[in-house]
Amino acid sequence: APTPVLLNGKIYVMFMGGNGDVWQDYPSGNGWATQDFGSGAQVEPNTQVAAVAWNNQIHTFFQGKTTSGNGGDLWQDYSGSTPTTTTTPQDFGSGVPVTGSPSAMVDGWNQPMVFFNNGDGYLSQYYWTGFGWNLSNTVGPAGRISSGLYSPILWNNQIHVPFMESTGMYQDYLAPASGMLTWFGPQNL
């Protein structure tokens, strides 16, 4: 499914194109334009592109194509000086495989986060520290993700990440506890 992003009052729609690259539709004049946003990195078929607007740029996250050398890793591509220019895609290259589609958000402290199934069926996360990306390999006491990771949301100063487990829908959530942020869950929804 396409992922809409709102940046500077305009909607940009990010998706995987027929050639396997990340593409975008965006407002142009009195209509819409379509552009290949990717510059070489390939998206794994049957997965989706996650996207957020952060730091006046569009950031996309996706599972790299498994047949392309560094496949199965989490990749990032982001816009350059304008939303319609792109940079070279980056492989997070941690050796932590991604299964399925990642999801992303910008938290209440204006830091981007990317959540994904780490290949062992558990929820993992990359988050921006202000200086670089940091991996939290297993987020909280999560259950095993069987078939779906949904868009995280910020609600009541907590980050909620819903997912499907074999016995139903669950969530993990990050909340203040004892003066620090702590992951809780899985909580049956």
Side-chain angles (χ1 to χ4, degrees):
T3 303
V5 175
L6 182 63
L7 178 66
N8 298 327
K10 293 184 180 179
I11 296 174
Y12 296 82
V13 182
M14 314 306 291
F15 60 96
M16 184 181 76
N19 65 352
D21 284 353
V22 175
W23 283 71
Q24 68 175 341
D25 283 343
Y26 60 94
S28 178
N30 292 329
W32 287 80
T34 301
Q35 176 188 4
D36 188 339
F37 192 80
S39 27
Q42 296 281 294
V43 179
E44 178 66 18
N46 303 313
T47 64
Q48 298 176 21
V49 175
V52 296
W54 177 71
N55 201 21
N56 208 31
Q57 298 172 315
I58 298 171
H59 292 255
T60 61
F61 304 94
F62 54 92
Q63 177 187 359
K65 192 171 182 179
T66 55
T67 58
S68 64
N70 294 326
D73 289 348
L74 182 65
W75 283 74
Q76 171 188 223
D77 199 358
Y78 57 93
S79 61
S81 58
T82 68
T84 57
T85 61
T86 62
T87 61
T88 303
Q90 299 171 333
D91 182 354
F92 279 73
S94 65
V96 177
V98 176
T99 301
S101 304
S103 61
M105 69 176 295
V106 176
D107 68 17
W109 302 273
N110 196 32
Q111 300 298 318
M113 300 180 160
V114 184
F115 299 93
F116 59 96
N117 180 335
N118 69 15
D120 290 332
Y122 292 101
L123 183 63
S124 289
Q125 163 198 27
Y126 272 104
Y127 59 94
W128 184 256
T129 65
F131 303 100
W133 290 98
N134 192 38
L135 173 66
S136 178
N137 201 16
T138 301
V139 175
R144 297 197 44 111
I145 301 169
S146 63
S147 65
L149 180 61
Y150 299 95
S151 296
I153 61 168
L154 180 64
W155 177 70
N156 200 23
N157 290 324
Q158 300 173 352
I159 296 169
H160 297 260
V161 185
F163 61 91
M164 287 299 292
E165 199 177 86
S166 60
T167 58
M169 181 171 263
Y170 288 81
Q171 74 169 351
D172 278 353
Y173 62 97
L174 183 67
S178 303
M180 59 187 292
L181 293 174
T182 304
W183 280 102
F184 295 94
Q187 179 183 36
N188 191 325
L189 299 175

